[in-house]
Structure formats: structure tokens, C-alpha cells
């Protein structure tokens, strides 16, 4: 006569039937699968929002000054920020010039409207309020004499661009008559932006782990989904345990 299932369990467990197994592996597997899925979905959802895009605006202002690489020098304004289209907000920017005099660059911050002129030799002239006068001071470093009409026109053109960008672009822009290349925006997803988490020092350098920038928004969803899944599995385990002990 074949042994009953209870006697078979008793035989396999050394005299005592085995109870239901705790769903530890199932809970761990669901947590891992959820974090992978949410990270993949999070990237697709993130690009629907403006903060997931980097914005860059570039415009070239021409001049008659001798250029180091071309026949005439250009003043190039580059502004960087975040967002897309009407939601674009610029954070910072700089102007460089390829004149023979090597005037260096002027970097500016839209948040506090300050700027700093740097030479190519690393000399910094201190932070100044970002004004048309500060822009003119930089333009004069390209070899213009004080009071030069073209220097004033170039400074006006650059200052107009800064004024237009500082509060976020609004609608189409006619552009400056001195623009060799009209200003244009470039947008790209911030897929290369990571949160760097320090793990431990290693061989003189820190070991860091990079996570996608949208991780703080994914983690609460992951914890909630994992907790709910674990509750379902644990509830089923308790029911089976009570039935086994009955």
C-alpha cells in the first residue's frame, strides 16, 4: 500500500512534516525585478518633463578685429540651462573671442547676475555685477580703443542676448544685425547626468557609484510597490501556515 502524502513528508523531514516555506526568495526577486523595471520606465517618463533636458544656446557676433584663426574675430556667446522650448531656463553662460589679443573669456551666472573675466593665463579679475558695462570691459580687451563705436555695438549685441536669455526665452527672436550665425538652441536628454554616491576610498581614490539623476523619484515608487507585493506574499504564507498547524 503506497504511503500517504503525510507519511511521505514525515519520511523526508525526519519524522516531522514540513511546513510552508517563508517567501524570502520571492520577495527579494520581486524587489530586484521592480527596481530594474522602474529604472527603465523612469528614463522614458523623465524625458516627458522639462527638467530631463539640457539646453544650450549659441550665437556668434562678428567684428572687424583681426582674428587668431580666421580673418576677423568673432565673439561667441554660449548659454547653458535646462528645459525645452518655452520652458527653457538658462543657468549660466560665457563669452569667448578669438581675437589676436587673446582677451580670455567672461563667464556669467543668471541666478545672481554676476560675471567674472578670466584671461587665458588663469588671471581672474574678480566678480562683477553682470551689466552692459561689464560686457563692454570684456569687449575692449580684444584691442578696441576706449569709445570705439564698434566695441559699443558688439557690447550692445551681447547684452541684448543676455537680457533676452536671463528670464527664459519668450517666443522667436529677430537676432542682432552683427550676428554672423543667428542664435540657436540645442536640446538633449540628461541621460549622462548621474548622482555620484561615495562607497569607499580605494587606492588613494574614491570608489563611487553612479545612479540616474531621476533615482530619488523612482525609489519611493519602488518601496511602495515592493511593500505591497511583500504584504500579499506574506499574507498568503500566514494562511498556509495556519492551515498547516490546524
Amino acid at each position: 500500500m503506497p504511503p500517504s502524502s503525510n507519511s511521505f513528508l514525515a519520511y523526508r523531514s525526519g519524522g516531522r512534516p514540513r511546513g510552508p516555506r517563508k517567501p524570502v526568495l520571492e520577495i527579494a526577486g520581486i524587489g530586484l525585478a521592480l527596481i530594474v523595471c522602474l529604472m527603465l520606465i523612469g528614463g522614458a517618463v523623465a524625458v516627458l518633463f522639462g527638467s530631463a533636458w539640457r539646453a544650450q544656446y549659441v550665437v556668434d557676433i562678428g567684428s572687424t578685429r583681426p582674428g587668431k584663426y580666421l580673418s576677423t574675430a568673432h565673439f561667441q556667446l554660449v548659454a547653458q540651462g535646462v528645459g525645452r522650448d518655452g520652458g527653457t531656463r538658462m543657468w549660466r553662460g560665457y563669452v569667448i573671442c578669438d581675437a589676436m589679443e587673446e582677451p580670455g573669456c567672461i563667464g556669467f551666472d543668471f541666478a545672481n547676475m554676476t560675471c567674472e573675466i578670466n584671461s587665458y593665463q588663469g588671471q581672474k579679475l574678480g566678480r562683477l555685477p553682470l551689466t552692459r558695462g561689464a560686457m563692454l570691459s570684456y569687449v575692449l580687451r580684444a584691442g578696441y580703443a576706449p569709445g570705439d563705436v564698434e566695441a559699443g555695438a558688439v557690447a550692445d549685441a551681447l547684452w541684448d542676448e543676455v537680457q533676452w536669455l536671463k528670464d527664459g526665452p519668450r517666443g522667436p527672436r529677430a537676432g542682432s544685425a552683427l550676428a554672423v550665425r543667428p542664435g540657436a538652441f540645442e536640446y538633449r536628454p540628461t541621460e549622462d547626468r548621474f548622482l555620484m554616491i561615495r562607497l569607499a576610498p580605494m587606492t588613494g581614490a574614491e570608489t563611487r557609484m553612479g545612479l540616474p539623476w531621476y533615482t530619488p523619484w523612482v525609489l519611493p515608487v519602488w518601496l511602495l510597490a515592493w511593500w505591497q507585493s511583500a504584504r500579499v506574499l506574506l499574507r498568503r504564507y500566514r494562511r498556509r501556515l495556519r492551515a498547516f498547524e490546524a
Side-chain angles (χ1 to χ4, degrees):
M1 183 175 181
S4 65
S5 59
N6 286 339
S7 62
F8 179 73
L9 287 173
Y11 170 75
R12 291 294 302 273
S13 58
R16 293 185 58 189
R18 289 182 178 178
R21 181 174 52 84
K22 291 183 178 180
V24 176
L25 295 178
E26 290 86 345
I27 293 175
I30 289 175
L32 181 60
L34 280 173
I35 194 64
V36 172
C37 292
L38 286 174
M39 282 297 184
L40 294 175
I41 296 172
V45 174
V47 298
L48 302 177
F49 299 90
S51 59
W53 293 87
R54 285 184 175 180
Q56 180 167 284
Y57 178 83
V58 181
V59 61
D60 285 344
I61 304 297
S63 75
T64 60
R65 295 298 305 164
K68 187 174 182 180
Y69 306 105
L70 301 174
S71 58
T72 57
H74 293 175
F75 290 83
Q76 185 180 76
L77 183 148
V78 179
Q80 298 167 333
V82 67
R84 290 190 70 183
D85 305 321
T88 304
R89 292 294 178 270
M90 310 313 290
W91 290 342
R92 57 187 173 269
Y94 59 88
V95 178
I96 56 175
C97 178
D98 57 353
M100 291 293 294
E101 289 77 7
E102 296 187 349
C105 72
I106 177 171
F108 49 86
D109 187 343
F110 286 108
N112 52 29
M113 291 300 286
T114 59
C115 63
E116 186 173 39
I117 299 176
N118 301 326
S119 70
Y120 288 134
Q121 290 75 35
Q123 180 186 8
K124 297 184 178 182
L125 305 184
R127 298 204 70 82
L128 302 168
L130 180 56
T131 61
R132 189 258 184 193
M135 201 64 69
L136 178 60
S137 297
Y138 171 73
V139 172
L140 292 176
R141 292 169 60 88
Y144 288 105
D148 189 287
V149 175
E150 182 179 282
V154 171
D156 286 338
L158 293 172
W159 180 240
D160 285 346
E161 298 286 351
V162 170
Q163 289 283 94
W164 182 68
L165 290 167
K166 71 174 184 176
D167 296 322
R170 295 289 187 272
R173 176 167 171 76
S176 168
L178 296 177
V180 177
R181 183 178 66 175
F185 280 95
E186 300 172 0
Y187 300 105
R188 60 188 178 92
T190 56
E191 294 174 351
D192 58 341
R193 205 170 96 208
F194 289 93
L195 297 174
M196 302 306 294
I197 300 176
R198 179 181 176 182
L199 299 179
M202 179 174 153
T203 63
E206 291 184 352
T207 302
R208 292 177 178 265
M209 176 176 65
L211 295 174
W213 64 271
Y214 49 84
T215 300
W217 287 269
V218 169
L219 285 179
V221 180
W222 171 67
L223 287 173
L224 180 61
W226 194 19
W227 179 63
Q228 291 290 353
S229 302
R231 284 185 64 190
V232 172
L233 291 175
L234 289 173
R235 196 179 296 125
R236 186 176 65 180
Y237 163 73
R238 293 190 188 102
R239 285 199 304 266
R240 291 181 174 178
L241 183 61
R242 284 194 297 267
F244 173 77
E245 293 175 346

